[in-house]
């Protein structure tokens, strides 16, 4: 929030909770809960902590309290704010000196049982004994954090207790290290040896992602001699060098209160938390911190070339990536870091940015490289400019364009209106009310805080904005940054990655060589010991545990009543339905519009994603996109368009489909927001072929790369595409079919047919007769929104709708088995079954069933035993589809067998009251996730789900029984195989013999 960084942290690191963490979306103020730290003043001592500072931050409506533990030196930042979605986190500096992934594997192993809670994997088990709105853990460049959030006070205390005991008193058993980290294991199929382990397989998958690998390797080359030359998440070639003893030693030196940063947020009382933490670290005294090199010695200029995976199905001749990285400021200078992030946005982001004009509009490549942007995640920050999808011969041209662009910015700076738009966006961002506000704050302060920065400096957004405005007013501020860091850089890296079609095979060869070296070193006696340890691990994984030691909520802690959101229905423009929600919005108005063409024109659906992106990229008949983007930044929080599909609540065979778009703005900018929306809707210039080709190239490349990161979602869509009209549409819009479709369009020499299709979509979609709107605003701004909406509708196109026959009349349910081979070193599996519509009584039973199978069977079999990073079951009630999935899975066919075994297990398993209660708690945790103010009432607007329907469904969840679970499992997951489909996405070399249909991307 405080630092509006231009790109996400792309370093190869990851989090523990891939298979089930719930991420909250918006804060709900706690009325009248009162301050949690009444009377605390600077210098005061309480429960072993001394208050170092107390500061109010009025623009964020919070008070920041910094404390330090007197005996150990542990630091604590408490954010006192009227928000019931309270957050707690404890983290440690975990800078590394090798790429074995020790902090990442420790993060996993720490959560495998502790002294007070000696059960295997209390982290995942607490997900079902809690109403948490977020639970996770992650390893970043040089620190590891364990955050959670919840709206329930008892839950907060329970989770805090489990987390504290996990980090300070973990069991760290070798058997857990071998499960989570790495182990040699014989294959059940051919008796050959392989490497398994949750983190090992996770990082194999991460290294298959061309973009992530490129960013990681470039950063390693950028910071030689420092902790950043190593991969904190672990390099698969180095992970197997880590021993259990080294893991334990790393915990002993790093997971110490002297090295800790503790964060709390919300309306939970502070004093009891201080007391609990003081008690948890009572046996510790202050110890010196480990010193790890973080400052790089400037090396002048160098160029490095490496090989990596292909990133699309096109020719490898145009898959080279090239970037130039420049060393920038010290992270600990907060204002300089803020200024550099704004500079980066102005330089790179949007069609008006100088680098975009020079590189993207040149059509030399498809898009920026994944590491492009400002990176404030290392002690010495850096800024990178790069282009992917280029030919080798174009590298000198790209380098020339980058240099010329910096020279122009050095001479001319940035247009003042664009600077104001960038700062306005920052100011609007912190007024926008979101439910995960506490987590956002934590993430915004963490990197600097672990490097010794006072975290409160990051919260003073308005001060930084005002200071930057004054600096810009003083003249040549951004020009000075070019002089300082880019004009004559003393530390510049030119990094090239060439696409190697055999990259995956080479990785497999390296892994085989690694395995053979390990086997040779062990000898027969060592291998017998490995077999013995694997047997012990299998026995541990099969044990039935007594979970009585773990704290838990009960169903009595669940509110019987669902939250209700008052809405009013009205009409604008004589016939357009409008949903109004009048509430406290912090001076912001939110607009949402849906144009619903029902099930007609399915032949145009594949064009919908390109159409939506075109609206905010191509420009209009009277203005180019650069000018429009600047106005969007000045007057709105952005305007977004996306395809919309929703299944009828009573009939899986009928869907609504079309376009949804929305925006938000400060109330004083209502009129220009609506005007900008109308301009994009009615005047987009689809025959801007140059920009259309650039957009197509970028979308094609990026969507291909998305498969490596989210393959489980693509596999689920592929499996379910033959089961319901909505899933068929979703596969067309955002699945493997869309990847193939975009790739085909990107190869077209003549885009005239594409332009005509986009115009056809525009003429069908934007129709006053198929339009409905929703407005969320303050009571004082309804009239302004009504007037602006009336003006929008008055100029909106109108015509009688027509089209092809309904999709439901043509759609037939067909079970299928699809395999999509891709050049990855990992796999994803999915099984999908068509069930019942949302309002059917069995729907709630199926939703509880998914929550039951995941923790009680699937997690153990897929993640712990098979070594996949994640897996489980999920039920989409609105889509009527029950799914199984696995993520970064070494053995997808074995996992598919596991899906079947899970149902058989349930049918023969005597369900305990505890197991059923935990499944329901998990469901209610999802249902009660707080919403942002902009999402309140949207269930009715988008899908017709009323508060009464939600309450009826809630009542049914309480009533689900063991018989209900087994009944729906038998009827839907066993007795109707023709309603079930399978899909695997992964390595070309998988043995997919049998009746699998190969789905190619070309």
């Amino acid at each position: 929030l405080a630092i509006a960084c231009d790109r996400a942290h792309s370093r190869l690191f990851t989090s523990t909770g891939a298979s089930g963490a719930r991420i909250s979306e918006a804060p709900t103020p706690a009325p009248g809960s009162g301050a949690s730290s009444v009377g605390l003043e600077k210098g005061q001592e309480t429960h072993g902590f001394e208050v170092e500072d107390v500061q109010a931050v009025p623009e964020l409506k919070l008070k920041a309290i910094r404390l330090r533990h007197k005996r150990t030196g542990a630091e604590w930042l408490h954010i006192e704010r009227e928000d019931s979605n309270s957050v707690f986190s404890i983290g440690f500096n975990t800078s590394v000196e090798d790429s074995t992934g020790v902090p990442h594997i420790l993060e996993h192993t720490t959560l495998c049982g502790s002294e007070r809670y000696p059960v295997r994997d209390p982290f995942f088990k607490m997900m079902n004994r809690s109403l948490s709105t977020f639970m996770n853990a992650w390893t970043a460049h040089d620190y590891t954090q364990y955050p959670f959030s919840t709206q329930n006070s008892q839950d907060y205390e329970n989770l805090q207790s489990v987390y504290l005991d996990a980090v300070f008193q973990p069991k760290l058993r070798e058997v857990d290290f071998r499960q989570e980290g790495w182990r040699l294991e014989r294959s059940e199929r051919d008796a050959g040896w392989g490497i398994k382990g949750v983190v090992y397989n996770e990082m194999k998958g991460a290294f298959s992602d061309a973009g992530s690998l490129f960013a990681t390797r470039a950063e390693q080359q950028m910071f030689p001699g420092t902790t950043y030359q190593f991969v904190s998440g672990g390099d698969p070639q180095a992970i197997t060098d880590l021993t259990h003893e080294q893991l334990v030693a790393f915990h002993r030196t790093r997971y110490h209160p002297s090295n800790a940063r503790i964060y709390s947020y919300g309306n939970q009382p502070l004093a009891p938390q201080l007391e609990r933490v003081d008690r948890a670290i009572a046996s510790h005294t202050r110890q010196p911190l480990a010193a790890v090199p973080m400052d790089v010695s400037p090396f002048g200029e160098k160029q490095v070339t490496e090989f990596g995976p292909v990133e699309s199905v096109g020719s490898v001749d145009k898959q080279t990536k090239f970037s130039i990285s420049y060393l920038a400021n010290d992270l600990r200078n907060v204002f300089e870091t803020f200024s550099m992030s704004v500079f980066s946005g102005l330089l790179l982001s949007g069609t008006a940015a100088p680098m975009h004009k020079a590189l993207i509009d040149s059509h030399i490549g498809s898009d920026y490289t994944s590491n492009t942007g400002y990176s404030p995640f290392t002690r010495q920050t850096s800024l990178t400019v790069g282009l992917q999808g280029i030919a080798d011969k174009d590298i000198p041209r790209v380098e020339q364009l980058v240099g010329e662009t910096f020279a122009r910015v050095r001479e001319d700076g940035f247009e003042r209106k664009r600077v104001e738009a960038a700062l306005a966006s920052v100011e609007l961002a912190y007024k926008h009310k979101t439910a995960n506000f506490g987590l956002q704050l934590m993430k915004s302060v963490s990197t600097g805080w672990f490097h010794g920065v006072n975290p409160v400096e990051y919260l003073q957004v308005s001060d930084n904005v005002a200071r930057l405005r004054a600096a810009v007013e003083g003249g040549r501020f951004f020009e000075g940054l070019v002089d300082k860091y880019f004009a004559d850089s003393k530390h510049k890296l030119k990094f090239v990655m060439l696409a190697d079609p055999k990259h995956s095979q080479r990785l497999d060869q390296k892994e085989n060589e690694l395995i053979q070296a390990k086997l040779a070193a062990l000898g027969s006696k060592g291998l017998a010991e490995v077999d013995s340890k694997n047997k012990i691990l299998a026995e541990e994984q099969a044990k039935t545990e007594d979970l009585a030691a773990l704290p838990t909520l009960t169903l009595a802690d669940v509110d019987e009543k669902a939250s209700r959101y008052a809405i009013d229905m009205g009409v604008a423009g004589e016939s357009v339905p409008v949903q109004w929600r009048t509430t406290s919005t912090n001076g912001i108005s939110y607009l949402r519009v849906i144009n619903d063409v029902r099930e007609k024109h399915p032949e145009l659906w594949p064009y919908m994603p390109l159409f939506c992106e075109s609206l905010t990229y191509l420009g209009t008949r009277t203005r180019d996109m650069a000018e429009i983007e600047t106005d969007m930044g000045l007057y709105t929080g952005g305007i977004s368009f996306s395809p919309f599909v929703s299944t009828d609540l009573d009939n899986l065979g009928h869907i609504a489909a079309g376009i949804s778009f929305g925006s938000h703005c400060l109330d004083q900018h209502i009129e220009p927001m609506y005007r900008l929306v109308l301009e994009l809707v009615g005047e987009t210039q689809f025959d801007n072929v140059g920009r259309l080709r650039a957009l197509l190239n970028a979308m094609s490349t990026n969507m291909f790369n998305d498969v490596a990161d989210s393959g489980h979602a693509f596999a689920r869509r592929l499996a379910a595409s033959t089961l319901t009209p909505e899933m068929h549409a979703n596969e067309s819009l955002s699945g493997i079919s869309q990847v193939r479709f975009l790739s085909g369009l990107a190869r077209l020499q003549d885009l005239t047919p594409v332009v005509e299709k986009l115009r056809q979509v525009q003429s069908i979609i934007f129709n006053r007769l198929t339009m409905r709107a929703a407005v969320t605003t303050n009571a004082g701004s309804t009239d302004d929104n009504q007037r602006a909406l009336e003006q929008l509708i008055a100029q909106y196109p109108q015509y009688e709708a027509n089209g092809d026959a309904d999709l439901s009349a043509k759609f037939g349910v067909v079970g299928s088995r699809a395999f999509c081979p891709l050049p990855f070193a990992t796999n994803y599996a999915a099984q999908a079954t068509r069930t019942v519509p949302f309002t059917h009584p069995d729907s709630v039973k199926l939703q509880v069933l998914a929550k039951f199978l995941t923790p009680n069977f699937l997690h153990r079999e897929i993640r712990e035993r098979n070594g996949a990073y994640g897996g489980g079951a999920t039920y989409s009630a609105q889509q009527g589809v029950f799914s199984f999935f696995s993520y970064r899975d070494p053995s997808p066919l074995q996992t598919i067998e596991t899906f079947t075994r899970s149902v058989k297990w349930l049918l023969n398993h005597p369900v305990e009251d505890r197991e059923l209660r935990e499944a329901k708690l998990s469901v209610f945790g999802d249902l009660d996730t707080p919403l942002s103010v902009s999402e309140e009432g949207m269930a009715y607007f988008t899908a017709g789900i009323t508060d009464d329907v939600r309450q009826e469904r809630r009542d049914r969840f309480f009533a689900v029984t063991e018989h209900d679970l087994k009944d729906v499992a038998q009827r839907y997951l066993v007795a109707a195989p023709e309603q079930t489909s399978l899909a695997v996405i992964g390595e070309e070399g998988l043995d997919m013999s049998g009746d699998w249909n190969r789905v190619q991307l070309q």
Side-chain angles (χ1 to χ4, degrees):
L1 179 70
I3 303 298
C5 293
D6 170 87
R7 70 176 173 91
H9 183 175
S10 58
R11 178 78 166 188
L12 287 179
F13 72 94
T14 140
S15 57
T16 294
S19 63
R22 293 190 292 266
I23 302 179
S24 82
E25 297 182 1
T28 302
S33 62
S36 63
S37 58
V38 175
L40 283 184
E41 297 178 354
K42 184 176 181 178
Q44 182 177 344
E45 295 183 18
T46 177
H47 300 294
F49 286 84
E50 180 178 357
V51 179
E52 292 193 330
D53 194 20
V54 179
Q55 282 187 263
V57 185
E59 64 265 35
L60 300 183
K61 300 180 180 178
L62 61 82
K63 183 194 293 184
I65 303 163
R66 291 195 299 118
L67 308 98
R68 187 182 296 272
H69 194 246
K70 296 205 67 177
R71 188 173 64 257
T72 65
E75 296 182 37
W76 191 314
L77 173 64
H78 177 68
I79 304 296
E80 181 182 292
R81 194 168 186 265
E82 286 296 316
D83 188 346
S84 64
N85 193 28
S86 297
V87 180
F88 178 81
S89 172
I90 185 163
F92 306 90
N93 186 303
T94 52
S95 304
V96 296
E97 297 178 271
D98 58 42
S99 291
T100 61
V102 57
H104 187 186
I105 296 174
L106 178 59
E107 169 216 316
H108 281 241
T109 314
T110 292
L111 297 171
C112 287
S114 63
E115 292 298 324
R116 189 175 176 188
Y117 305 108
V119 299
R120 193 178 68 254
D121 211 350
F123 173 80
F124 280 97
K125 290 181 172 63
M126 283 303 296
M127 283 184 171
N128 306 293
R129 302 166 75 87
S130 162
L131 291 173
S132 64
T133 55
F134 182 91
M135 278 181 66
N136 215 330
W138 51 63
T139 297
H141 277 71
D142 41 29
Y143 62 88
T144 301
Q145 285 180 299
Y146 298 81
F148 69 81
S149 62
T150 180
Q151 300 179 93
N152 183 285
S153 295
Q154 184 60 55
D155 200 24
Y156 188 92
E157 183 175 345
N158 291 349
L159 291 171
Q160 192 176 63
S161 176
V162 171
Y163 270 46
L164 289 172
D165 205 57
V167 298
F168 289 123
Q169 297 191 97
K171 288 289 190 180
L172 296 185
R173 303 181 306 168
E174 183 181 7
V175 68
D176 297 318
F177 164 73
R178 299 181 75 252
Q179 172 184 286
E180 299 296 319
W182 74 277
R183 65 186 182 276
L184 288 170
E185 186 170 291
R186 296 182 193 269
S187 168
E188 296 180 2
R189 297 180 183 273
D190 58 14
W193 287 88
I195 301 174
K196 279 192 176 182
V198 173
V199 170
Y200 181 81
N201 282 306
E202 175 191 347
M203 298 313 294
K204 276 185 65 178
F207 273 69
S208 296
D209 183 318
S212 293
L213 181 62
F214 179 81
T216 297
R217 294 305 193 211
E219 188 173 82
Q220 288 180 278
Q221 294 290 340
M222 184 69 177
F223 294 99
T226 75
T227 184
Y228 308 114
Q229 79 176 67
F230 305 109
V231 184
S232 59
D235 187 324
Q237 283 291 305
I239 286 174
T240 57
D241 293 333
L242 183 66
T243 67
H244 176 244
E245 291 75 18
Q246 290 169 331
L247 181 93
V248 173
F250 192 85
H251 175 270
R252 187 168 52 249
T253 58
R254 302 306 181 88
Y255 279 44
H256 189 279
S258 299
N259 195 36
R261 303 292 187 274
I262 303 166
Y263 173 88
S264 56
Y265 163 92
N267 61 9
Q268 292 294 319
L270 178 59
Q273 300 186 64
L274 297 172
E275 184 178 9
R276 286 193 291 270
V277 172
D278 183 51
R279 190 163 56 244
I281 61 178
S283 62
H284 294 83
T285 56
R286 194 183 297 259
Q287 76 171 26
L289 304 180
V292 176
M294 293 188 177
D295 294 325
V296 68
S297 299
F299 54 56
E301 180 179 312
K302 71 175 181 180
Q303 179 164 327
V304 177
T305 299
E306 294 193 13
F307 290 90
V310 298
E311 63 179 356
S312 75
V313 294
S315 169
V316 295
D317 294 337
K318 285 277 288 182
Q319 292 192 36
T320 296
K321 300 177 179 66
F322 172 65
S323 69
I324 306 174
S325 299
Y326 303 83
L327 197 66
N329 63 292
D330 190 306
L331 170 69
R332 293 167 292 186
N333 185 329
V334 175
F335 175 70
E336 189 90 343
T337 302
F338 175 76
S339 301
M340 280 296 299
S341 69
V342 175
F343 172 87
S344 175
L346 292 167
L347 178 73
L348 295 158
S349 297
T351 59
M355 284 295 177
H356 189 285
K357 291 179 178 179
L359 298 179
I360 307 301
D361 291 351
S362 69
H363 309 303
I364 297 174
S366 60
D367 200 359
Y368 290 134
T369 54
S370 57
N371 60 338
T372 294
Y374 180 57
S375 175
F377 305 110
T378 51
R379 173 71 64 82
Q380 292 166 286
T381 66
S382 60
L383 187 143
T384 299
V385 182
L387 197 60
Q388 63 183 339
I390 66 174
D392 296 355
K393 65 180 179 61
D394 291 324
I395 290 175
R397 177 61 176 153
V398 173
E399 183 177 359
Q400 178 186 356
L401 289 172
V402 170
E404 290 173 352
T405 304
F406 272 122
R408 281 196 299 274
V409 174
R410 183 187 189 189
E411 182 67 25
D412 303 328
F414 300 114
E415 180 189 358
R416 183 57 187 273
K417 191 176 180 182
R418 288 190 66 231
V419 175
E420 279 302 318
L423 296 179
S425 296
V426 173
E427 293 175 312
L428 178 58
Y430 71 76
K431 288 181 71 70
H432 174 51
K433 297 174 68 173
T434 61
N436 57 356
F437 188 77
L439 283 166
Q440 287 179 336
L441 287 184
M442 183 197 77
K443 291 177 181 179
S444 73
V445 308
S446 289
T447 301
W449 191 16
F450 277 100
H451 286 275
V453 177
N454 176 356
V456 179
E457 290 187 45
Y458 290 107
L459 306 180
Q460 295 164 335
V461 183
S462 59
D463 290 350
N464 282 318
V465 170
R467 183 177 172 187
L468 182 54
R469 274 203 175 99
V472 172
E473 289 284 352
R476 299 194 59 79
F477 176 77
F478 291 118
E479 295 89 328
L481 292 179
V482 178
D483 277 332
K484 188 174 183 179
Y485 297 117
F486 309 108
D488 186 23
S489 176
K490 302 297 189 294
H491 189 97
K492 181 168 73 171
L493 170 72
K494 295 183 287 186
F495 188 71
V496 180
M497 183 167 280
L498 305 176
D500 178 7
K502 296 186 179 298
H503 180 76
S504 181
Q505 293 94 309
R506 297 188 205 285
L507 290 181
D508 288 343
Q509 181 181 345
K510 284 185 178 180
E511 183 180 68
N512 289 331
E513 292 170 354
L514 180 63
I515 291 170
Q516 294 307 313
K518 293 286 183 185
L519 295 177
L522 284 167
S524 58
K525 183 178 179 181
L527 292 179
E529 183 179 352
V530 170
D531 282 332
S532 176
K533 289 182 177 181
N534 287 341
K535 182 179 179 182
I536 293 171
L537 173 59
E539 291 170 350
E540 281 288 318
Q541 292 169 336
K543 281 182 180 179
T544 300
E545 293 187 290
D546 181 4
L547 303 181
L550 280 178
T552 184
L553 297 182
T554 70
L555 292 178
D557 295 299
V558 178
D559 195 335
E560 293 183 359
K561 301 297 182 183
S563 300
R564 289 180 173 267
Y565 304 105
I567 58 175
D568 297 306
M569 299 307 299
V571 173
E574 298 182 355
S575 62
V576 176
V578 182
Q579 174 180 301
W580 293 91
R581 173 150 173 79
T582 305
T583 185
S584 174
T585 63
N586 204 23
I588 297 177
S589 288
Y590 299 88
L591 170 69
R592 181 88 173 265
V593 174
I594 290 175
N595 274 108
D596 176 13
V597 296
R598 306 305 293 176
E599 302 159 356
K600 301 183 185 299
H601 308 287
E603 77 284 356
L604 294 177
W605 288 355
Y607 290 91
M608 293 291 194
L610 176 61
F611 175 78
C612 290
E613 293 295 327
S614 296
L615 294 169
T616 55
Y617 192 80
L618 299 184
T620 66
R621 291 190 292 269
T622 58
R623 298 204 294 167
D624 63 26
M625 200 62 220
E627 184 180 353
I628 297 170
E629 271 184 355
T630 300
D631 281 354
M632 287 168 57
L634 279 171
Y635 302 123
T636 79
I639 302 173
S640 62
F641 296 81
S642 62
F644 168 79
V645 185
S646 178
T647 296
D648 188 290
L649 298 181
D650 301 310
N651 186 344
L652 295 183
H654 290 283
I655 61 173
I659 294 289
S660 172
F661 62 87
S663 185
H664 65 277
C665 67
L666 296 174
D667 287 340
Q668 62 264 36
H669 296 150
I670 289 172
E671 188 277 330
M673 177 182 75
Y674 282 81
R675 174 171 44 79
L676 284 165
V677 166
L678 183 64
E679 181 178 7
L680 297 177
V681 164
E683 299 182 31
T684 293
Q685 187 178 7
F686 293 106
D687 58 359
N688 187 344
V689 176
R691 294 191 62 78
L692 180 60
R693 184 171 298 282
L695 178 59
L696 262 174
N697 289 336
M699 289 181 65
S700 176
T701 298
N702 293 336
M703 193 164 188
F704 183 90
N705 290 336
D706 285 345
V707 180
D709 187 54
S710 303
H712 62 305
F714 282 87
R716 177 181 178 270
R717 284 191 286 268
L718 183 59
S721 63
T722 61
L723 302 178
T724 72
E726 178 177 348
M727 295 309 297
H728 177 76
N730 285 339
E731 166 63 18
S732 174
L733 293 166
S734 57
I736 292 296
S737 299
Q738 178 68 191
V739 178
R740 183 171 57 238
F741 179 75
L742 288 175
S743 177
L745 293 187
R747 292 195 299 270
L748 292 176
Q749 295 298 312
D750 180 9
L751 293 181
T752 302
V754 179
V755 172
E756 291 307 311
K757 289 291 186 182
L758 295 178
R759 286 173 171 162
Q760 190 177 352
V761 173
Q762 182 188 38
S763 68
I764 291 168
I765 287 293
F766 294 132
N767 183 355
R768 193 185 316 173
L769 298 181
T770 66
M771 176 187 187
R772 65 182 187 268
V775 178
T776 301
T777 190
N778 301 284
S781 298
T782 54
D783 289 346
D784 290 341
N785 275 282
Q786 179 77 39
R787 281 192 295 271
L789 184 57
E790 294 278 359
Q791 293 171 4
L792 171 70
I793 293 169
Q795 300 177 67
Y796 216 74
Q798 176 175 330
Y799 53 88
E800 291 301 322
N802 54 54
D804 298 336
D806 287 353
L807 175 64
S808 59
K810 304 176 180 179
F811 190 84
V813 179
V814 179
S816 64
R817 294 159 61 90
F819 169 57
C820 180
L822 288 172
F824 303 152
T826 191
N827 310 283
Y828 309 88
Q831 176 177 309
T833 300
R834 176 184 170 119
T835 60
V836 295
F838 186 83
T839 55
H840 193 286
D842 287 345
S843 177
V844 296
K845 302 169 188 177
L846 288 160
Q847 193 162 344
V848 176
L849 176 61
K851 293 294 187 179
F852 182 90
L853 290 175
T854 298
N856 292 301
F857 188 88
L858 295 168
H859 174 79
R860 178 181 70 239
E861 298 297 318
I862 297 174
R863 181 178 167 110
E864 294 181 354
R865 289 185 173 177
N866 193 33
Y869 181 46
T874 181
Y875 181 66
S876 174
Q878 289 180 242
Q879 294 171 334
V881 174
F882 191 101
S883 304
F884 297 92
F885 72 94
S886 69
Y887 182 77
R888 290 182 177 168
D889 187 347
S891 307
L893 295 178
Q894 180 179 325
T895 295
I896 287 174
E897 294 175 1
T898 300
F899 298 158
T900 301
R901 287 194 299 114
S902 70
V903 181
K904 294 179 180 178
W905 168 83
L906 167 69
L907 295 176
N908 294 290
H909 174 70
V911 176
E912 299 177 17
D913 291 343
R914 172 190 60 80
E915 294 171 328
L916 184 57
R917 180 188 69 239
E918 290 175 358
K920 291 181 182 181
L921 280 174
S922 186
V923 169
F924 286 119
D926 290 343
L927 292 177
D928 295 339
T929 295
L931 299 176
S932 68
V933 65
S934 61
E935 290 300 314
E936 293 171 356
M938 285 298 109
Y940 179 71
F941 177 68
T942 59
I945 302 174
T946 66
D947 288 345
D948 288 341
V949 169
R950 290 171 51 241
Q951 183 61 55
E952 180 182 359
R953 189 174 181 85
R954 190 179 189 86
D955 295 339
R956 288 176 175 174
F957 281 122
F958 281 105
V960 172
T961 66
E962 173 185 359
H963 174 268
D964 292 334
L965 297 187
K966 294 183 176 181
D967 175 55
V968 294
Q970 175 65 41
R971 285 192 289 116
Y972 298 108
L973 304 184
V974 176
E978 71 281 359
Q979 304 277 321
T980 295
S981 293
L982 299 170
V984 172
I985 295 175
E987 299 174 90
E988 175 72 53
L990 285 174
D991 179 12
M992 303 301 291
S993 55
D995 57 346
W996 287 88
N997 174 39
R998 292 176 69 90
V999 178
Q1000 302 289 354
L1001 287 186
Q1002 272 187 311

